[in-house]
Amino acid sequence: MDWKLKFISQENFVKHVEATIDKYGEKLESFDIKRFNKNIIDPIKLIFDKTVYQSTWEEMVGNEIFRQRDKSNNNDIGYFHQTIFQYMKNCHVPENGKEGGWDVIYENADGIQLPEGDVVHKIYVEMKNKHNTMNSASTGKTYMKMQNQLLNDDDCACFLVEAIAQKSQNITWNPTVDGKKISHKRIRRVSIDQFYALVTGEEDAFYQMCMVLPEVIESVVVKGGEVKVPHDTVAEELKKIAEISGEKSENLAMALAVYMLGFSSYIGFSGLIGGKGSVDENFLKRIYAYAQGLKQRKL
């Protein structure tokens, strides 16, 4: 393809996309019932979701698997947004937890002009995927970290850069900390498009990157040949559990199978499968084994 980006080479951009896709590896592994229930699902929520949204059991299970994958993938997209700056002039991405724990450090010997007219030579960046992901505690901690940086370096500014901001902006950040609204003109809230523009000197640099990204991702996936669509077996395994419940209603039997993932030791549920009145600590493991066809034991 004809490479149009001036602020990052095609080789480095492709390398960065490859590294991001590599991080998807674990999430692309198939989900079986044990992995599905790793953190113990909420059966009540799943059954509400299925009924209210008029989904099939297969759709409900698929949606929950997608949610679990998506939660992990957000960290990988954070990696994409942050570490791409290692390939851009005057930018540095510190190792995790080092150099103050900043996500990106941008330094320009010619000076960096801020909107209010101040000129600094270094910007320390805390990067967030989305504007609403910080609670009051993390907001206060981040702001104090930035205040401390300004106290130790009077030739810098600190940016909270948001990939998904409410709008394009480079403004003074004025959060409420301990019930009091605070602000400093060198502590700023900046959308990622504005940060790209500042670093590259090209106003629409982020737009340019977005326009080449789909084709590059597609080419990396096709070329690699290792990104496979996973075959998830959770729905089939839940049906196997439903079969041994003895319930005649298919819907209730499937609901019972879902209940057993979260409530197998709860009063009333413990005797529903296999007729036992109490459950030992290996009961759930035996359910997994039966569903996966690893062991055909009596429960």
Side-chain angles (χ1 to χ4, degrees), residues 68-98:
Q68 291 187 29
R69 282 197 174 106
D70 186 60
K71 188 175 181 181
S72 297
N73 289 343
N74 284 334
N75 293 329
D76 300 334
I77 300 307
Y79 168 88
F80 175 83
H81 285 308
Q82 176 193 359
T83 58
I84 193 172
F85 288 99
Q86 69 184 309
Y87 300 111
M88 296 190 196
K89 186 179 178 182
N90 297 323
C91 284
H92 170 55
V93 177
E95 290 183 40
N96 190 33
K98 296 186 177 180

Side-chain angles (χ1 to χ4, degrees), residues 47-61:
I47 291 172
F48 261 100
D49 287 350
K50 176 196 176 294
T51 308
V52 172
Y53 298 131
Q54 293 293 286
S55 300
T56 65
W57 286 105
E58 289 80 4
E59 289 169 341
M60 182 274 294
V61 168

Side-chain angles (χ1 to χ4, degrees), residues 19-29 31 35 63-82 129 227-228 230:
T20 304
I21 291 175
D22 283 345
K23 289 186 169 292
Y24 272 64
E26 181 183 342
K27 275 76 73 178
L28 289 172
E29 292 177 8
F31 266 73
R35 186 178 181 197
N63 289 339
E64 172 61 16
I65 291 172
F66 179 84
R67 186 197 67 79
Q68 291 187 29
R69 282 197 174 106
D70 186 60
K71 188 175 181 181
S72 297
N73 289 343
N74 284 334
N75 293 329
D76 300 334
I77 300 307
Y79 168 88
F80 175 83
H81 285 308
Q82 176 193 359
N129 278 5
V227 180
K228 299 176 182 178

